[in-house]
Amino acid sequence: MKRAASESDHPESTKSKQAHWSRGLLASMQDAQYFVKGDNKVTLIKDMYPKAQYHFLVLPHVDIPDLKSTTKEHIGLLKHMEAFAKDHTKETSPEVKFKYGYHAEPSMQRLHLHVISEDFNSPSMKSRKHWNTFTTGFFLDSEKVIEDLEKTGKVDLPSQEKCKDLLAKPLRCHKCSFRPKHMTELKKHVLSHFK
Ligand code: AMP
Ligand code: ZN
């Protein structure tokens, strides 16, 4: 029987295959299953492996590879991406709290803004690495990214070494000081903050 695809199915064994899966967001922008809405500058899609009850991505139509490539020129567009995301969440789930930001070291091509509810309650939230990408300094708030560009013309990104440390941090609840032994314990605990 055919098994549903999961994130760990991404083949990383050869360079050519890697190039293919890392372009997946561009394909999803054109796929009715993932496309939610767009305008002449940006598209909002559903994340294929949501790490929370609500998880979307906003991508610009111009091909900006990542935050490293952004300059003062992009401030207007980044503000628009954030405003577009906030309009959507306000319209569709006003009672839910969201985070809006970027991963310091993204795995997928084309700049993408994560729009994610703070519950982090989802079967795809499986590992310490997943957890730490959203709850440590690896996650760069959109507002801070824009502020960096306004002040210095570039985004203040953590070094490769720092990113490694952030992703290896021990698990910790993002709502209190609880330190679980493992993901199962953390996921159970976090539910108590989102009754
Ligand atoms: P990042 O680590 O910032 O590059 O995050 C990439 C995000 O894209 C993750 O949250 C993945 O779950 C999600 N994702 C991976 N492949 C696809 C795809 N083909 N379509 C939509 N979302 C995807
Ligand atoms: Zn807690």
Side-chain angles (χ1 to χ4, degrees):
M1 207 169 65
K2 215 176 156 194
R3 172 174 74 80
S6 84
E7 199 170 7
S8 52
D9 290 338
H10 278 152
E12 294 183 57
S13 51
T14 68
K15 272 214 153 158
S16 59
K17 281 183 179 168
Q18 186 173 354
H20 174 67
W21 69 254
S22 70
R23 284 199 304 267
L25 301 184
L26 304 181
S28 292
M29 285 167 82
Q30 315 288 336
D31 183 337
Q33 208 184 326
Y34 296 100
F35 175 89
V36 179
K37 61 164 72 153
D39 66 7
N40 58 344
K41 293 195 183 75
V42 300
T43 294
L44 184 143
I45 62 170
K46 289 182 202 150
D47 193 290
M48 196 180 272
Y49 310 103
K51 307 299 186 298
Q53 285 196 320
Y54 303 86
H55 189 181
F56 307 100
L57 303 169
V58 179
L59 295 102
H61 294 173
V62 289
D63 193 14
I64 304 170
D66 51 28
L67 285 179
K68 272 187 236 153
S69 330
T70 56
T71 65
K72 275 193 192 251
E73 235 181 79
H74 300 110
I75 292 171
L77 180 59
L78 266 60
K79 282 187 176 172
H80 180 66
M81 286 165 68
E82 184 186 313
F84 195 84
K86 287 183 172 169
D87 282 351
H88 178 68
T89 54
K90 209 166 133 192
E91 217 175 277
T92 55
S93 21
E95 73 295 352
V96 180
K97 267 192 116 180
F98 282 86
K99 281 170 78 96
Y100 305 85
Y102 301 85
H103 282 158
E105 282 181 350
S107 54
M108 302 296 284
Q109 288 184 30
R110 177 74 62 90
L111 183 69
H112 48 280
L113 172 70
H114 286 268
V115 180
I116 186 162
S117 56
E118 286 190 337
D119 53 87
F120 299 129
N121 175 18
S122 157
S124 294
M125 177 59 92
K126 288 179 179 164
S127 64
R128 178 169 65 167
K129 185 179 166 193
H130 286 159
W131 184 262
N132 285 342
T133 61
F134 291 102
T135 59
T136 68
F138 191 87
F139 189 86
L140 307 170
D141 283 323
S142 172
E143 281 179 13
K144 170 72 168 52
V145 162
I146 291 166
E147 196 185 297
D148 285 355
L149 285 174
E150 283 173 338
K151 279 191 185 150
T152 67
K154 67 183 181 71
V155 182
D156 185 16
L157 291 163
S159 66
Q160 249 186 345
E161 200 56 31
K162 177 77 183 165
C163 285
K164 223 173 116 194
D165 290 350
L166 289 167
L167 297 183
K169 274 188 153 191
L171 286 174
R172 188 177 183 156
C173 174
H174 62 313
K175 290 284 166 194
C176 72
S177 55
F178 180 63
R179 288 177 179 275
K181 286 195 253 343
H182 40 64
M183 273 309 278
T184 315
E185 196 181 13
L186 176 58
K187 289 183 80 162
K188 193 170 161 218
H189 165 83
V190 165
L191 289 178
S192 67
H193 291 293
F194 296 89
K195 274 185 185 141

